[in-house]
Amino acid sequence: MKLDSKIPEGHMSQKWENYKEHARLVNPANKRKLDIIVIGTGLAGASAAATLAELGYKVKAFCFQDSPRRAHSIAAQGGINSAKNYKNDGDSVYRLFYDTVKGGDFRSREANVHRLAEVSLNIIDQCTAQGVPFAREYGGLLDNRSFGGAQVSRTFYARGQTGQQLLLGAYQALERQIGLGNVKMYNRHEMLDIVTIDGKARGIIAKDLISGKLERHFGHAVLLCSGGYGNVFFLSTNAMGSNVTAAWRAYKRGAYFGNPCYTQIHPTCIPVSGEYQSKLTLMSESLRNDGRVWVPKKKEDCGKHPNEIKEEDRDYYLERKYPSFGNLCPRDIASRAAKEVCDEGRGVSASGRAVYLDFADAINRLGLDVVKARYGELFPMYQNITGHDPLKQPMMIYPAVHYTMGGLWVDYELMTSVPGLYALGEANFSDHGANRLGASALMQGLADGYFVIPYTIGNYLAGEIFTKAIPTDHPAFEEAEKQVRDRLNKLMNAKGDTPVDEYHKRLGKIMWEKCGMARHAEGLKEARKEIQELRTEYWKNVRVPGDINEFNPELDKAMRVADFMELGELMVMDALNRNESCGGHFRVEYQDNGEAKRNDEEYSYVAAWEFKGDNTEPELHKETLNFEEVQLAVRSYK
Amino acid sequence: MKINLKVWRQKNENTAGKMVDYSVNEVSPDMSILEMVDVLNDDLIRKGDDPIAFDHDCREGICGMCSMVVDGRPHGPQHGATTCQLYMRNYKDGDTIYLEPFRAHAFPVVKDLVVNRGAFDRIIAAGGFISVSTGQAQDANNLTVEKAVAERAMDVAACIGCGACVAACPNGSAMLFVSAKVSHLNQLPQGKPEASRRAINMVKQMDAEGFGRCSNVGACEAECPKEISITNIARLNREYLKAVFTSTEE
Ligand SMILES: Cc1cc2nc3c(=O)[nH]c(=O)nc-3n(C[C@H](O)[C@H](O)[C@H](O)COP(=O)(O)OP(=O)(O)OC[C@H]3O[C@@H](n4cnc5c(N)ncnc54)[C@H](O)[C@@H]3O)c2cc1C
Ligand code: SF4
Ligand code: FES
């Protein structure tokens, strides 16, 4: 199949308008006859499900948590971008578009990003109308803060709980539609396969996690809003349940996987403390507004108490290396710089894998109360986890896996390469190129769900109004369910001696060491082999307790880890294929004195991988990125 | 350090449960209590036993998924924190800890420490929203909201829907949860047009779900991980009475 990104005609700023003017519509009476399945109720899924139901479609929504309100989006802290220019500091749709393309190291599709910047305006309006309690100024108007990778203040926030408040807004809109009978909600359900009939997505196989029963659901279209796959590394800032299964099953049913190797490593997380560690906690990037990052100049000082290290013996390395952005340089750059100073032996903490984030200057300048008010929950949260008070001594931080820019390949309409199958939010590859700017994931999730899919899905469903609901005893449903059942049985029957988590940790270690912050060809080749071996061992030797037909979280986890094992290999292959450094993908062979060296001649494309069978190499398709508006340049934050 | 555990084990909703003894060696003070249960479960699985089922997801105090009554208190002894935020540095070698599910008539046990809190979603569906469909909003800055009002709304909007208030209440009342949502939305100018309907419909659904009456015990406030104030219940009562007397609807 040829990749067609379906970018509309016209000037960049006119494409979305043109699209909307010409997209096909579905009349209200027909909408009632069309079923849409939405997997996931994070910002992308909840906003999509609510909006599509408001429009009159019949929606079924699924999530694996016990309530749609608990999707991982709830944990986002810092804020959401929008080109409102309420601060009058020179922001505009164009500038947000430009910053995002540049921040993504020129590896995203311009037309999608421009649309994102355009609808960012509507998002803030919608959320405010829903009652999201954004921070306000004394005049009663909305407040903004600045965030990494931008020189304007365009980030809206609700204390340190922006994701929570935005998700509750979307969740409440969703619950309203559930109450009206327009959405049927399936909590504690996990989608385990996609059903395709005559090449189109027509439904799913889901497991009721309480009873263990497999269910079949028909839909005229299926939306995957299942989030990112950072947990392939085991340790990440993602919630424990975040997984790739929905996206991976789609891949195995023909949806291309875009740029799987693009991973964002967030610079400000609480460092690892021991083997038992189950997740890493993010300290919001907004802390870099007032916190200054440093390590001792001399290795000998690393063991000292930070407050005893004199000013002239500190290396504020971000300010030194990137004077114009300083502590606010983008994430990939800040993370790599931290790794570098720790590699030089100047890292702090017992493990030597941490740097300081210091608020002393901010407290002197602004006063304790202002600093405390600004970062709400974050300081007590840090103190609770580590036992140290960041108002008295600098925080210790280290980079951790945080977000995956890669995901299912989608066209301008957010449709995957399988007709009728869409991917929204972090689950798609679409808008962030090789690196995402802070406060842009929330924006993208809500843009996709509230303002993009409601238009683009009509263009497809207008052609489906004569398709009657397909009974779920159709052979395609039978076959998909059987495959799922076989996988479940195989895991249960392995009856080995090693718990799922141990395999997950081992996979995570391979990924972190060989496909993490710095990658090179040799390591990647080794990683591929190691993952293959680990996978073989897993299926033979994993121990899953309990039964299939009962509430069995270990079995659910085992299914997720099985998919991570396959995804890991594809990530490594993608990283090996991309012989350049860009954004979050840093190949040590391709650098200029530590700065990433892109190769626009050869790699200015989206790598879209097509599954060809379990024992066959996947096929690489290339979507060439054409830049009409933005000049390709070396991404400099100096 | 070594920690002894007494844990509620219950196969499913329809079987009886009982407390079972366990112990975990080599507990690090930097572990969270959930990480300690992970370590125990790893051991149980290797021994061929059934691991302890418990709910969790974000492990940083925001998703509201973790539950558990720790030593008789929902979310444990630490004020203003969830179970996942409870670290073992608060315990010492040889301590015994009791782990039980959130118990309430409206929250049936699913397995071990996992309960079903679906009733909360149904209460929200009954009225915990502002009726504004996508695309109907005006420019956000056309509407000013006094900073103090926005801050107060945020204080209550911080509720994570965990249900600790219900588990703490001797009557199994959901008033703190409901009052938090009503206070969040009814204070804001955007939420005013539906204020009466919201209060009436949410309270009606709460009653239908089998939550108990509030008798001002105050345990909910003491155990709420987000420190939602009990004054919100008084506010809900006022709103509700006003709504009932002035409502022109059925
Ligand atoms: C700690 C943290 C802080 C962050 N802070 C910010 C920030 O300040 N600003 C910002 O812009 N971004 C931030 N991000 C990123 C942002 O939160 C996420 O990218 C975004 O919320 C993802 O939303 P989503 O809707 O795509 O997916 P999610 O919110 O992850 O939702 C996934 C949904 O899919 C469901 N699901 C998954 N698989 C299945 C399956 N197989 N079957 C059924 N259901 C399934 C889940 O139940 C869930 O409902 C942060 C991320 C983290 C980890
Ligand atoms: S009011 Fe407090 S205890 Fe009750 S659900 Fe909300 S956060 Fe939990
Ligand atoms: S696991 Fe999310 S609040 Fe505890």
Side-chain angles (χ1 to χ4, degrees):
Chain A
M1 199 189 98
K2 204 181 143 290
L3 280 180
D4 179 5
S5 48
K6 296 196 223 148
I7 299 170
E9 295 298 310
H11 183 262
M12 195 57 66
S13 60
Q14 290 304 311
K15 288 183 190 295
W16 182 228
E17 283 306 314
N18 286 351
Y19 178 87
K20 287 192 288 184
E21 280 161 18
H22 297 104
R24 287 193 290 171
L25 298 173
V26 180
N27 85 34
N30 285 330
K31 285 196 183 108
R32 281 196 291 277
K33 292 187 227 149
L34 293 167
D35 295 287
I36 301 176
I37 289 175
V38 179
I39 305 300
T41 58
L43 288 182
S47 59
T51 306
L52 294 171
E54 286 160 10
L55 289 172
Y57 294 108
K58 277 195 294 176
V59 178
K60 286 181 175 181
F62 295 78
C63 73
F64 63 74
Q65 291 93 344
D66 74 333
S67 161
R69 67 179 288 153
R70 308 208 198 283
H72 164 60
S73 295
I74 201 92
Q77 303 169 349
I80 177 167
N81 287 333
S82 170
K84 283 286 197 188
N85 193 28
Y86 282 164
K87 289 279 174 186
N88 197 28
D89 59 357
D91 202 7
S92 64
V93 165
Y94 183 84
R95 211 177 276 274
L96 174 53
F97 155 73
Y98 177 84
D99 285 349
T100 309
V101 173
K102 176 184 171 196
D105 216 355
F106 308 95
R107 288 292 173 266
S108 41
R109 191 190 287 146
E110 275 190 328
N112 285 51
V113 179
H114 201 280
R115 174 179 65 191
L116 174 67
E118 289 170 52
V119 305
S120 74
L121 307 175
N122 308 91
I123 294 172
I124 302 303
D125 300 340
Q126 186 64 30
C127 297
T128 304
Q130 290 169 342
V132 169
F134 284 123
R136 290 185 182 261
E137 298 168 341
Y138 283 106
L141 300 169
L142 293 168
D143 192 18
N144 292 120
R145 59 162 61 136
S146 42
F147 238 66
Q151 288 170 313
V152 294
S153 275
R154 61 160 77 98
T155 305
F156 294 77
Y157 64 102
R159 293 200 190 142
Q161 293 122 279
T162 315
Q164 179 198 29
Q165 294 310 314
L166 295 173
L167 182 60
L168 291 181
Y171 156 76
Q172 287 162 199
L174 172 62
E175 286 296 338
R176 174 172 160 242
Q177 294 305 315
I178 293 172
L180 293 169
N182 300 331
V183 177
K184 187 150 172 35
M185 184 68 221
Y186 295 83
N187 297 338
R188 292 207 202 259
H189 273 67
E190 188 138 323
M191 185 215 101
L192 294 177
D193 212 348
I194 299 277
V195 177
T196 57
I197 297 174
D198 299 329
K200 291 179 175 177
R202 291 301 189 196
I204 62 161
I205 305 297
K207 181 172 176 243
D208 174 339
L209 299 183
I210 303 253
S211 66
K213 287 207 180 68
L214 295 182
E215 297 173 0
R216 305 172 186 183
H217 296 272
F218 164 81
H220 289 89
V222 177
L223 273 50
L224 300 183
C225 314
S226 47
Y229 51 84
N231 276 350
V232 66
F233 291 84
F234 185 74
L235 287 181
S236 82
T237 62
N238 291 8
M240 299 298 288
S242 299
N243 69 87
V244 76
T245 289
W248 194 251
R249 291 293 129 197
Y251 166 71
K252 296 192 89 169
R253 293 276 176 198
Y256 297 176
F257 213 108
N259 299 330
C261 82
Y262 287 167
T263 310
Q264 176 160 83
I265 317 256
H266 196 293
T268 53
C269 303
I270 298 182
V272 177
S273 67
E275 265 302 306
Y276 51 80
Q277 189 104 24
S278 57
K279 76 156 286 172
L280 295 171
T281 304
L282 172 78
M283 288 285 103
S284 171
E285 174 161 47
S286 58
L287 291 169
R288 285 200 279 145
N289 273 325
D290 290 309
R292 298 179 67 196
V293 178
W294 63 274
V295 289
K297 279 189 181 152
K298 294 180 290 216
K299 283 185 200 172
E300 308 84 81
D301 285 350
C302 291
K304 284 191 189 158
H305 190 283
N307 295 353
E308 280 162 19
I309 301 175
K310 288 204 237 35
E311 193 59 28
E312 61 268 26
D313 292 331
R314 300 174 174 194
D315 179 11
Y316 295 90
Y317 58 89
L318 289 178
E319 296 169 29
R320 173 170 59 79
K321 287 165 98 168
Y322 307 101
S324 69
F325 280 70
N327 294 298
L328 285 177
C329 67
R331 293 176 175 175
D332 52 337
I333 292 179
S335 290
R336 231 160 19 238
K339 179 179 189 298
E340 235 167 65
V341 292
C342 292
D343 287 348
E344 286 166 20
R346 293 193 290 139
V348 295
S349 89
S351 67
R353 310 260 13 136
V355 301
Y356 290 124
L357 179 63
D358 199 332
F359 295 91
D361 277 1
I363 294 170
N364 283 339
R365 182 163 40 93
L366 304 161
L368 200 60
D369 291 344
V370 175
V371 173
K372 263 180 157 165
R374 224 171 249 184
Y375 300 108
E377 291 210 311
L378 297 174
F379 288 157
M381 186 168 175
Y382 177 86
Q383 182 165 11
N384 182 50
I385 295 174
T386 62
H388 299 293
D389 180 357
L391 295 170
K392 300 215 176 92
Q393 68 182 69
M395 280 184 179
M396 283 197 260
I397 52 163
Y398 198 65
V401 172
H402 179 56
Y403 181 90
T404 47
M405 282 75 67
L408 291 172
W409 181 89
V410 289
D411 61 21
Y412 188 75
E413 299 185 302
L414 304 183
M415 200 195 282
T416 67
S417 48
V418 175
L421 181 65
Y422 294 81
L424 283 66
E426 194 173 338
N428 72 24
F429 88 102
S430 131
D431 296 351
H432 308 292
N435 174 56
R436 174 176 70 80
L437 291 183
S440 286
L442 301 181
M443 169 173 72
Q444 184 223 332
L446 291 179
D448 289 358
Y450 283 136
F451 297 107
V452 178
I453 197 73
Y455 289 91
T456 60
I457 204 168
N459 203 34
Y460 173 75
L461 289 177
E464 293 290 330
I465 52 177
F466 298 114
T467 309
K468 294 237 161 51
I470 299 172
T472 54
D473 57 4
H474 186 284
F477 278 95
E478 299 267 351
E479 182 262 351
E481 185 181 315
K482 181 174 178 305
Q483 281 197 17
V484 171
R485 193 175 303 286
D486 289 349
R487 275 208 322 279
L488 288 163
N489 280 324
K490 203 170 159 200
L491 284 169
M492 288 301 307
N493 294 335
K495 296 203 184 339
D497 53 24
T498 308
V500 177
D501 272 351
E502 182 175 321
Y503 285 107
H504 195 176
K505 285 182 189 177
R506 280 165 62 187
L507 173 68
K509 273 215 178 85
I510 301 173
M511 297 302 294
W512 179 241
E513 275 159 24
K514 300 189 169 157
C515 195
M517 266 190 285
R519 306 155 171 190
H520 60 82
E522 278 318 300
L524 290 166
K525 284 181 198 151
E526 284 162 22
R528 185 165 180 203
K529 204 161 144 273
E530 288 168 24
I531 296 169
Q532 287 169 343
E533 286 163 6
L534 188 66
R535 197 164 60 219
T536 310
E537 188 191 325
Y538 179 72
W539 283 97
K540 273 205 208 112
N541 198 36
V542 67
R543 172 177 293 181
V544 183
D547 276 318
I548 283 198
N549 292 313
E550 64 177 15
F551 182 71
N552 190 344
E554 280 294 316
L555 177 56
D556 306 333
K557 203 156 71 180
M559 290 289 273
R560 295 172 190 164
V561 172
D563 290 338
F564 278 139
M565 293 261 184
E566 296 181 9
L567 164 78
E569 186 177 354
L570 188 69
M571 289 171 72
V572 165
M573 289 170 71
D574 187 44
L576 193 56
N577 169 69
R578 192 165 282 279
N579 291 313
E580 64 164 349
S581 294
C582 57
H585 169 67
F586 188 74
R587 282 278 300 271
V588 288
E589 305 98 309
Y590 307 100
Q591 56 174 311
D592 264 337
N593 287 327
E595 301 300 323
K597 199 164 139 204
R598 274 192 347 251
N599 178 347
D600 294 331
E601 289 284 292
E602 288 176 90
Y603 290 97
S604 185
Y605 65 75
V606 178
W609 297 88
E610 180 184 7
F611 178 69
K612 288 287 190 183
D614 278 321
N615 298 312
T616 316
E617 295 281 298
E619 185 181 339
L620 174 63
H621 301 267
K622 299 176 182 175
E623 178 198 339
T624 306
L625 294 167
N626 297 313
F627 292 88
E628 294 173 24
E629 274 303 311
V630 175
Q631 288 264 327
L632 287 177
V634 174
R635 195 173 61 130
S636 168
Y637 291 91
K638 290 199 171 166
Chain B
M1 57 186 162
K2 178 180 176 208
I3 298 287
N4 302 308
L5 292 171
K6 289 180 184 294
V7 185
W8 182 259
R9 302 303 310 260
Q10 179 175 344
K11 195 163 169 48
N12 55 43
E13 188 181 344
N14 305 316
T15 52
K18 62 170 193 295
M19 298 301 286
V20 177
D21 291 353
Y22 300 96
S23 64
V24 191
N25 298 317
E26 291 177 41
V27 173
S28 150
D30 289 329
M31 275 181 187
S32 71
I33 194 165
L34 297 188
E35 285 170 339
M36 180 184 64
V37 180
D38 289 341
V39 170
L40 171 60
N41 276 346
D42 184 90
D43 192 43
L44 292 176
I45 295 169
R46 286 177 201 274
K47 286 202 297 227
D49 291 339
D50 192 29
I52 299 160
F54 63 99
D55 264 331
H56 63 101
D57 201 19
C58 73
R59 296 205 177 188
E60 53 186 60
I62 192 72
C63 72
M65 189 93 182
C66 64
S67 46
M68 268 197 222
V69 172
V70 183
D71 284 336
R73 301 185 58 183
H75 290 307
Q78 198 174 326
H79 193 66
T82 53
T83 303
C84 59
Q85 293 176 303
L86 180 57
Y87 279 78
M88 296 312 292
R89 72 176 67 88
N90 297 299
Y91 293 89
K92 57 181 195 311
D93 188 44
D95 276 356
T96 299
I97 304 175
Y98 285 73
L99 301 180
E100 293 167 86
F102 278 5
R103 293 182 199 279
H105 176 66
F107 291 167
V109 170
V110 172
K111 184 180 178 187
D112 299 340
L113 306 173
V114 176
V115 298
N116 179 344
R117 291 167 285 191
F120 271 14
D121 288 334
R122 293 187 291 273
I123 294 175
I124 298 294
F129 48 75
I130 289 173
S131 298
V132 52
S133 295
T134 304
Q136 294 180 327
Q138 57 172 341
D139 184 275
N141 261 354
N142 280 352
L143 179 89
T144 53
V145 179
E146 205 185 314
K147 187 175 166 74
V149 171
E151 293 294 327
R152 281 204 303 274
M154 183 63 218
D155 287 340
V156 276
C159 163
I160 57 174
C162 62
C165 45
V166 177
C169 176
N171 311 324
S173 168
M175 279 297 268
L176 193 63
F177 167 76
V178 174
S179 70
K181 190 46 59 192
V182 170
S183 289
H184 161 205
L185 298 176
N186 284 19
Q187 278 185 75
L188 292 170
Q190 305 93 301
K192 296 273 190 235
E194 290 170 291
S196 299
R197 276 175 66 92
R198 178 175 305 118
I200 291 178
N201 290 340
M202 289 180 74
V203 168
K204 199 162 108 193
Q205 187 64 32
M206 174 178 76
D207 291 343
E209 295 288 349
F211 290 101
R213 293 273 153 186
C214 170
S215 55
N216 287 318
V217 177
C220 52
E221 180 187 62
E223 302 301 346
C224 171
K226 298 295 146 181
E227 303 177 310
I228 306 289
S229 160
I230 198 168
T231 55
N232 290 291
I233 296 186
R235 180 203 298 267
L236 171 60
N237 282 330
R238 283 198 305 277
E239 294 257 1
Y240 180 76
L241 287 176
K242 192 173 81 192
V244 171
F245 286 121
T246 57
S247 173
T248 50
E249 293 179 40
E250 286 279 277

